[in-house]
Amino acid sequence: MDWVDLTQAALPPGLDRAAMMKRFTVERADGAMVSGAAGFVALWRALPATGLLGRMVDNRAAIWVLERAYRGFLSIRGMWRSAP
């Protein structure tokens, strides 16, 4: 697992830094880029402590529900950050 600071990283052509900064983005072991709920599921699958959870929710229905929840979170994230 490598954590990359997108504000400093050199990105391959075709990747949009601004779009990647707006959503949680993961590059899977197979090289595929996934974001949002699919990104969290990929991360959960890769970590030993959350691997079982990742496998349990790695299906279209669960990711659909998680993506809706993630989008809801994104809509209020700005308010959360600016709170005193």
Side-chain angles (χ1 to χ4, degrees):
M1 182 75 49
D2 291 328
W3 296 93
V4 177
D5 179 356
L6 289 177
T7 63
Q8 306 297 319
L11 298 178
L15 294 181
D16 180 358
R17 185 183 316 274
M20 292 176 74
M21 293 292 292
K22 289 181 181 178
R23 291 175 54 88
F24 182 70
T25 305
V26 172
E27 181 179 5
R28 295 188 321 212
D30 64 4
M33 300 294 286
V34 291
S35 68
F40 281 102
V41 171
L43 175 65
W44 294 338
R45 285 189 64 119
L47 296 173
T50 55
L52 177 60
L53 172 64
R55 288 188 299 279
M56 289 172 46
V57 296
D58 193 3
N59 62 73
R60 291 178 73 154
I63 291 175
W64 186 89
V65 171
L66 291 170
E67 180 64 25
R68 290 339 173 249
Y70 182 64
R71 288 181 186 182
F73 164 75
L74 289 178
S75 71
I76 63 168
R77 179 175 66 170
M79 291 183 292
W80 183 1
R81 284 183 172 173
S82 62

